[in-house]
Amino acid sequence: MHGTVISASNEQPVTSNCLYNPPALSRQLKIFSGRAHESLVNEICELLGASPGTVTLYSFSDGENYVQIDENVRGADVFVIQPTSPPVNDNLMELLIMLDAFKRSSASRITAVLPYYGYARQDRKDKPRVPITAKLVADLISRAGADRVLTIDLHASQIQGFFNIPVDHLFAAPVIVKHLQTLNLPDLTIVSPDAGGVERARAYAKHLQASLAIIDKRRTGKNQTEVMNIIGDVAGRNVLVVDDIIDTAGTLIHTVEALQMHGAKSISASCTHGVLSGHALPRINASTLQQVITTNSMPMADKEAECPKLKTLSIAGLLAEAINSIHNEESVSRLFDIESATNHGNKAV
């Protein structure tokens, strides 16, 4: 591409033979971490052959957050990795402040990477005079400075529509299915804990060549449900309950009890986001669950130490592949397919 220069003396166009330098125009990839999940960021950076960006983060004695970027990010392609996991409000606020800092530091593009999207379960008005907090969080992230969002297993896919910026919504199914395939469980039945998770459970069942069952339940209160019926055959079979989030594990334990009553041979569970708040870990330890499979979308080391039934799988490879594709302006659609993504998810890029 040739440039044209205007002469100061006669204002006649002068053709220049100088070529623009493509490397000088390309954006440098920079990855930064908040304090929510630094171990995941280090794992992603190792797969990408990059070093985490340097940033100063701390909290004042009154609880306010302080952020200072310690390196030049002007014109850079910045990825800020911060799951808004517990403590949700602290991690969300730190993310927003970081996004504002990068915007004011003239980063060329800012991608907010949220392995876990807090407030995702508040995605609709199901009662009078309640907010749609998932939409509010989307607005805050966009206004703070994010140009793009990368996330995994939103509680409801329509949350993508709450953003007016591009959203790359990945699924942890390839990582979990790949692990389950190594177990070679005979007589396997995949169980959806509610009608809303049937599509997810059906995808698991298809790729694991397993049968499908559905729990018919009724929510009786906050974090409380009652199992009404089981649709499908679970008697004498190895059962895997598949969900996106396990929070207090109350619903999971009720599901396990119902499956036992219907003659299940063994019962395990899997989820993308192991929030495991409140009495979740003691409940799981005291249950007949053989194993609970989750991912490191949020820190899990302390929870694993307290609950030996937990098995944590890494989504670092999946996120690293997505970050690399976004940075190089390549499609990430191949990562939505279980067969394709299982071949990429654990590779260095």
Side-chain angles (χ1 to χ4, degrees):
M1 182 175 178
H2 295 276
T4 300
V5 180
I6 301 296
S7 170
S9 58
N10 52 22
E11 297 186 350
Q12 295 297 316
V14 178
T15 301
S16 169
N17 291 322
C18 295
L19 296 175
Y20 289 116
N21 185 3
L25 295 177
S26 64
R27 295 177 294 197
Q28 184 180 4
L29 172 63
K30 287 182 178 285
I31 300 173
F32 289 86
S33 172
R35 289 177 290 178
H37 202 350
E38 295 179 66
S39 61
L40 175 61
V41 177
N42 290 333
E43 194 176 345
I44 291 171
C45 287
E46 183 177 351
L47 290 170
L48 290 170
S51 298
T54 54
V55 59
T56 299
L57 302 167
Y58 62 82
S59 298
F60 292 103
S61 59
D62 64 353
E64 292 183 2
N65 290 335
Y66 176 83
V67 173
Q68 182 178 8
I69 305 163
D70 297 326
E71 60 184 81
N72 180 26
V73 295
R74 183 178 294 274
D77 191 10
V78 171
F79 289 80
V80 184
I81 304 175
Q82 176 89 328
T84 51
S85 52
V88 178
N89 295 332
D90 291 345
N91 289 330
L92 174 60
M93 194 66 205
E94 183 172 84
L95 171 64
L96 297 176
I97 296 173
M98 291 182 72
L99 293 173
D100 184 73
F102 286 110
K103 178 178 69 174
R104 297 178 187 278
S105 300
S106 300
S108 176
R109 181 174 64 182
I110 306 167
T111 301
V113 182
L114 292 90
Y116 173 70
Y117 187 91
Y119 288 104
R121 286 172 283 182
Q122 299 183 40
D123 61 334
R124 64 192 181 278
K125 288 194 68 172
D126 56 351
K127 298 180 184 67
R129 299 172 298 280
V130 295
I132 304 178
T133 317
K135 166 61 174 169
L136 171 63
V137 171
D139 289 341
L140 290 171
I141 290 171
S142 300
R143 292 297 297 268
D147 299 301
R148 191 179 199 99
V149 168
L150 172 62
T151 189
I152 294 182
D153 273 323
L154 290 169
H155 184 64
S157 293
Q158 63 265 26
I159 291 175
Q160 297 173 78
F162 292 169
F163 290 90
N164 292 321
I165 57 177
V167 177
D168 292 299
H169 181 208
L170 304 181
F171 302 96
V175 176
I176 298 173
V177 166
K178 185 175 182 179
H179 171 74
L180 293 172
Q181 287 172 336
T182 65
L183 301 179
N184 294 317
L185 293 173
D187 303 320
L188 180 62
T189 295
I190 303 298
V191 174
S192 171
D194 52 40
V198 171
E199 185 178 353
R200 180 188 305 107
R202 185 184 293 116
Y204 277 65
K206 175 184 176 182
H207 288 89
L208 293 169
Q209 297 181 338
S211 61
L212 177 67
I214 304 167
I215 300 292
D216 174 26
K217 68 181 183 182
R218 179 178 300 166
R219 188 164 292 278
T220 57
K222 185 173 61 176
N223 290 329
Q224 295 180 349
T225 58
E226 177 185 355
V227 174
M228 305 298 294
N229 200 3
I230 296 179
I231 304 169
D233 184 20
V234 298
R237 299 186 66 83
N238 296 306
V239 170
L240 177 72
V241 182
V242 176
D243 211 345
D244 62 328
I245 300 172
I246 298 177
D247 191 353
T248 62
T251 300
L252 175 61
I253 299 306
H254 290 155
T255 300
V256 169
E257 292 170 350
L259 291 169
Q260 272 189 306
M261 290 177 59
H262 284 74
K265 180 180 178 181
S266 71
I267 307 170
S268 298
S270 76
C271 69
T272 301
H273 310 296
V275 178
L276 302 175
S277 63
H279 299 291
L281 296 179
R283 284 172 175 162
I284 291 171
N285 283 332
S287 73
T288 57
L289 279 164
Q290 289 195 343
Q291 189 177 58
V292 175
I293 302 166
T294 186
T295 75
N296 61 342
S297 65
M298 61 188 74
M300 296 299 298
D302 292 343
K303 297 171 185 175
E304 278 190 308
E306 190 175 342
C307 181
K309 293 184 179 182
L310 284 180
K311 170 67 176 179
T312 303
L313 307 177
S314 178
I315 54 172
L318 186 65
L319 287 171
E321 181 76 13
I323 289 171
N324 188 62
S325 296
I326 293 169
H327 174 63
N328 292 319
E329 305 295 348
E330 298 171 353
S331 173
V332 298
S333 60
R334 69 188 183 282
L335 300 178
F336 302 153
D337 177 68
I338 290 181
E339 296 293 343
S340 176
T342 49
N343 294 327
H344 288 86
N346 293 318
K347 289 185 178 180
V349 292

